[in-house]
Amino acid sequence: MRWLSLLLVGFILAGWSTLFVMGGELAEPRMQSVERPPEDLPLTALRIPRADGGSVAAWFAAGDPSQGGILLLHGIRADRRQMLDRARFLFAAGYSVLLIDLQAHGETPGEQITFGFRESADVHAAADFLKTRLDGRPVGVIGVSLGGAAALLGESPVDADAVVLEGVYSAIEQAAGNRLAMRLGKIGRLLAPLLVWQIK
């Protein structure tokens, strides 16, 4: 019985340590230099000011003056380059496109990834920039995973005429459970509440 108790304590400590490392890895910033924009799109590099005094790294291409614009939001541990294929497609259709690096990604500073919470400030700043730049024309948002969550979370959802969400988790608890199950199997779902606690 004593050995069984020790084995159980060892298992709990090993699981806790694994979760602590995984949680830190999931929230670790993924900042990196983003090269110049590709030559097949007339993208201009810029920095969009945020309400907190920070700024968001971005690329912008002005489309047909009669069309609206689309804000493109990348997924977790990626940067604006992930959205280039969508930008090419939309720009060819006449839309203006704005690609940004969410905080703690690419060239936008941040202390940690917050799974949409702090990233929402980047989305609001970028959407406001696009609305001003397009002078009242419609603004849409396409967000993938973290980008979609950032469009929804924060103090309020992004104010846009259309929003497309791709692969967005419905709750952080579900996202944590899915990621742990991918790495640890069924037991990962049982450990998900501990990871969510750590993330908070």
Side-chain angles (χ1 to χ4, degrees):
M1 196 65 153
R2 185 177 171 193
W3 284 107
L4 187 58
S5 297
L6 287 173
L7 187 62
L8 181 61
V9 168
F11 175 75
I12 290 170
L13 289 174
W16 181 260
S17 300
T18 301
L19 282 179
F20 186 78
V21 169
M22 288 176 75
E25 189 178 292
L26 284 173
E28 188 176 299
R30 293 295 182 166
M31 292 177 290
Q32 59 186 328
S33 177
V34 177
E35 300 100 31
R36 288 181 292 173
E39 294 180 4
D40 63 326
L41 279 172
L43 293 165
T44 302
L46 51 95
R47 295 206 71 91
I48 300 169
R50 233 178 14 222
D52 64 2
S55 65
V56 181
W59 286 334
F60 175 74
D64 185 325
S66 66
Q67 294 274 42
I70 309 294
L71 171 59
L72 297 165
L73 307 170
H74 63 79
I76 194 163
R77 286 186 291 285
D79 57 54
R80 63 192 118 138
R81 293 175 292 188
Q82 182 186 38
M83 305 305 284
L84 279 169
D85 286 341
R86 290 171 183 83
R88 289 182 179 101
F89 172 79
L90 293 163
F91 186 78
Y95 293 98
S96 296
V97 291
L98 178 63
L99 302 80
I100 68 170
D101 289 339
L102 296 167
Q103 71 93 37
H105 292 80
E107 296 178 331
T108 300
E111 293 177 13
Q112 62 188 27
I113 298 168
T114 63
F115 307 98
F117 184 70
R118 287 185 185 160
E119 292 82 1
S120 67
D122 304 325
V123 174
H124 285 280
D128 289 346
F129 167 86
L130 197 51
K131 286 179 201 170
T132 301
R133 187 73 180 248
L134 298 181
D135 195 26
R137 284 178 277 150
V139 169
V141 175
I142 298 176
V144 175
S145 186
L146 173 66
L152 298 176
L153 300 177
E155 292 183 19
S156 62
V158 65
D159 181 21
D161 297 290
V163 178
V164 176
L165 306 173
E166 298 180 29
V168 177
Y169 40 88
S170 57
I172 192 67
E173 293 81 5
Q174 182 184 10
N178 290 343
R179 292 204 180 265
L180 287 174
M182 285 189 300
R183 290 187 167 94
L184 304 175
K186 290 181 182 179
I187 196 162
R189 292 199 187 282
L190 299 175
L191 299 172
L194 293 174
L195 180 58
V196 171
W197 174 82
Q198 181 188 353
I199 289 169
K200 289 178 180 176

